[in-house]
Amino acid sequence: MDDTPSESGRPATVSRRAFTKGLALGLGATALPTGPAAALDWTAFFQKHFREMSEEEIRRTVERLEREARHRWRKDIRISTTRAMPGVVFGAGVDLSRCIGCRRCVYACVEENNQSRNPQVHWITVLRFRKGEKWSDLANAEKYYEPGRVPEEGFFYLPVQCQLCDNSPCVRVCPTRATWKEPDGIVVVDYNWCIGCRYCMAACPFGARRFNWAEPTIPVDEVNPDTHYLGNRPRPKGVVEKCTLCIHRVRAGRYPACVEACPVGARKFGNLLDPGSEIRYLIEHKRVFRLKEDLNTEPKFYYFFSA
Amino acid sequence: MLSVFRAAAGRVVRGDVRYYAWMVFLLALIGLAISRYVRQLDRGLITTAMRDQVSWGFYIANFTFLVGIAAAAILLVIPAYLYQFRPIREIVLFGEMVAITAVIMCALFIMVDLGQPLRVWHAWPVLGIMNFPSSLFIWDALALLGYLAINVLLVLYALWRLATGREYRLSLIFPLIVLSIPWAVSIHTITAFLYNGLPSRPFWNASILAPRFLASAFCSGPALMLIILQLIRRFSAVEVDNKALFKIAELIAYAMGVNVLLLGAEMFKEFYSGSVHMAPLEYLYFGLRGQGMLQPWIWEATAFNLIAFLIFLVPRLRERPLFLNLGAVLIVLGVYVEKGMGLVVPGFVPDTLGEIYEYWPTVSEGIIAAGIWATGALLFTLMVKFTVPIYTGQIRAERAAERGRR
Ligand code: SF4
Ligand code: SF4
């Protein structure tokens, strides 16, 4: 058995002091919220599921979460709870003939959505394939390509993130309904309700869900203070997170960060219910496909070739 | 009757040097595990080797194996009650206690795997929000709780009858026993379905999974019982008829035959048709793209299972204590690998985006798991220690003698 890299240099055996301390702590401080911040922690402990809270409860919860965030990040962080607009179901797409594999979307997403820098969390994965080799089963995907410059001769790229399944396996398996599909089609997670069982990660066919294996770290000046309860507000350790199509932006009528960041305009986005939207135009006029369609998860994330 | 229980409880703390040494050993392991678990709580599951690619590991592997052990109590119940096979009937009580221990250990393994263990009430009836009937996780939790309740009731009833010196009144308890049989099958089937229902993971998404689960559970559970019963016989006044042991061994042989057959069927389907779905099985047995950490383990497990199968199949062999024990140990180890790490990890390798992440537990995971095993052993030892004097009628006899003297 190997120890984790972060522990290298520490002896594998636990000293007697650590041992007794562990016993005491195990039964006391760590197991139950006690100590100076106790009152705060108990409210957090009994916090209800987002969808079970009244408007008033949501308001008070958001206030407390903002207070906690200010304490933790030394910065004013706004947590919005904007609801889905009626008549909107979001869809997104990528033009594979344009994507150059530069990963600008990946980093824009990290910054926009307060993903942990260490351990590194990326909601978007860009896969690289060799032209002419089989690729649609994703078995030969290369995730860690590191070229001096992109695009590379003889390769093409395929960005993957939450595929916005309409029939989402992650939602189906979650024991606590901590993850669900909003009326506008975005699959979200309540970070205060998720128990961290990771069943949804086993169920997701697109490797879209990320777990906070440790407390997320973000340089304070890089924390994005414009957040949404169901999206990019800072997360604790031990819960699952994923792409929400920048719920805080799209519900305010803006483009997702990845769409804005793409230097070649490969990323598309729009309201699937609006016949005049760009995404609808593409679906109707290009040959589109979706990943792993045989699994019937009905993604609302489309891939197509413009050339 | 209560006084009998009190007398039995008094005896739990008394024992010889070996008993105390055993207790100290288990408590030390548990303490060590608690200190590691506190560290895990503090730092997060980063102290494990699990990552986004392989998001379940050693904890869930142990959980899966233990559900099988819990289910196996019924293999003793069936011949005992339905076919009135006397020698086994006497020792069913211990099978039920193994089931209770195993279910409690299952719960502990789930708890240490959770990222937010304090929030476990979110999945509880009434208090939280159960995603029922959609989530198999909830089904599994309910089934295991029900199974625990049934076995606790059966054990308490048996103890009560024994304490008051009366025979089992079958009519009273029979419905519960009959219920416990399909229930035991169901806990294991539902656990299989928990994996089986995920089309994202072709390794688990094969209809042979649930039957394979059952077959292997009916090997490992009774094999563990063979060992435990002999230990109880060695260290206490409980008599265990050899006939019962041989019968259990024979049943294991049949179960192992089915297990090997199902494994063969799966191997044939995957390797003959040779679609991309065979990748996990290939990873497990032969390695994939030069990686295959589990290979030596799975081959060892396969060899163990086959050798044990042969031993238990031949009456002359299984009736020799040496071979009987050898076979039992081989099966427990073999199934532990096959239905533990060998089942959980390849489900994630290669992951859904084709990546191979080789998972191997950290020292911390190993110690925490050992601590849970020690907790199980402690619990079981205490239960046996409590039960034996009641079971053998020792306490009642002593009291009668005392009363006679007065
Ligand atoms: S891609 Fe994965 S995370 Fe996104 S909705 Fe589908 S199953 Fe859920
Ligand atoms: S990890 Fe959280 S969101 Fe995922 S299934 Fe478990 S409770 Fe639900």
Side-chain angles (χ1 to χ4, degrees), chain B residues 209-247:
Chain B
L209 195 77
R212 265 191 75 193
F213 256 62
L214 286 171
S216 63
F218 290 162
C219 302
S220 57
L224 190 65
M225 282 310 298
L226 276 185
I227 301 170
I228 290 176
L229 285 175
Q230 291 184 70
L231 287 176
I232 292 177
R233 179 160 74 177
R234 156 92 45 101
F235 290 111
S236 79
V238 173
E239 281 167 32
V240 178
D241 193 341
N242 263 338
K243 266 207 278 180
L245 298 185
F246 300 153
K247 193 74 192 170

Side-chain angles (χ1 to χ4, degrees), chain A residues 46-260:
Chain A
F46 287 114
Q47 183 177 327
K48 288 206 249 168
H49 189 288
F50 182 70
R51 289 201 289 180
E52 304 265 305
M53 283 192 264
S54 66
E55 286 300 327
E56 173 56 23
E57 283 171 320
I58 290 183
R59 200 186 51 71
R60 264 186 286 126
T61 304
V62 165
E63 247 170 41
R64 176 173 49 79
L65 292 175
E66 285 179 343
R67 207 162 52 236
E68 284 171 16
R70 196 177 314 125
H71 185 73
R72 165 85 170 80
W73 301 100
R74 323 225 155 275
K75 196 169 193 171
D76 278 326
I77 289 175
R78 290 178 309 281
I79 302 176
S80 116
T81 53
T82 318
R83 303 286 166 150
M85 281 171 281
V88 176
V89 169
F90 292 115
V94 176
D95 181 349
L96 293 182
S97 1
R98 288 201 188 189
C99 178
I100 53 169
C102 66
R103 293 203 185 101
R104 295 261 183 93
C105 53
V106 177
Y107 296 110
C109 175
V110 167
E111 279 168 30
E112 182 67 31
N113 289 297
N114 291 324
Q115 274 134 265
S116 171
R117 312 298 201 268
N118 179 30
Q120 191 182 55
V121 174
H122 287 176
W123 287 354
I124 305 176
T125 311
V126 184
L127 303 177
R128 186 185 76 175
F129 300 91
R130 192 178 286 282
K131 282 182 181 161
E133 278 189 357
K134 79 169 178 163
W135 64 281
S136 62
D137 61 22
L138 307 185
N140 298 332
E142 172 55 59
K143 180 167 147 187
Y144 303 104
Y145 66 91
E146 253 184 290
R149 46 185 302 178
V150 287
E152 301 154 276
E153 200 54 53
F155 293 97
F156 71 100
Y157 308 88
L158 179 130
V160 182
Q161 62 215 70
C162 174
Q163 303 286 300
L164 304 162
C165 305
D166 212 42
N167 176 16
S168 336
C170 55
V171 172
R172 196 183 314 154
V173 301
C174 175
T176 60
R177 294 189 214 263
T179 188
W180 68 93
K181 195 179 73 188
E182 284 278 287
D184 53 8
I186 303 176
V187 174
V188 295
V189 182
D190 181 345
Y191 312 120
N192 288 74
W193 195 258
C194 168
I195 60 174
C197 68
R198 308 187 298 290
Y199 197 8
C200 55
M201 299 181 78
C204 172
F206 306 102
R209 304 183 75 98
R210 300 283 173 270
F211 187 71
N212 286 290
W213 299 99
E215 192 68 37
T217 56
I218 311 169
V220 173
D221 53 324
E222 287 176 29
V223 173
N224 178 4
D226 169 26
T227 74
H228 193 283
Y229 192 101
L230 303 175
N232 59 342
R233 69 180 161 110
R235 279 80 64 186
K237 68 170 182 275
V239 302
V240 152
E241 59 182 66
K242 57 177 280 299
C243 158
T244 64
L245 220 50
C246 287
I247 193 167
H248 59 294
R249 293 171 67 119
V250 297
R251 283 195 180 169
R254 298 165 67 198
Y255 274 120
C258 55
V259 176
E260 242 175 51

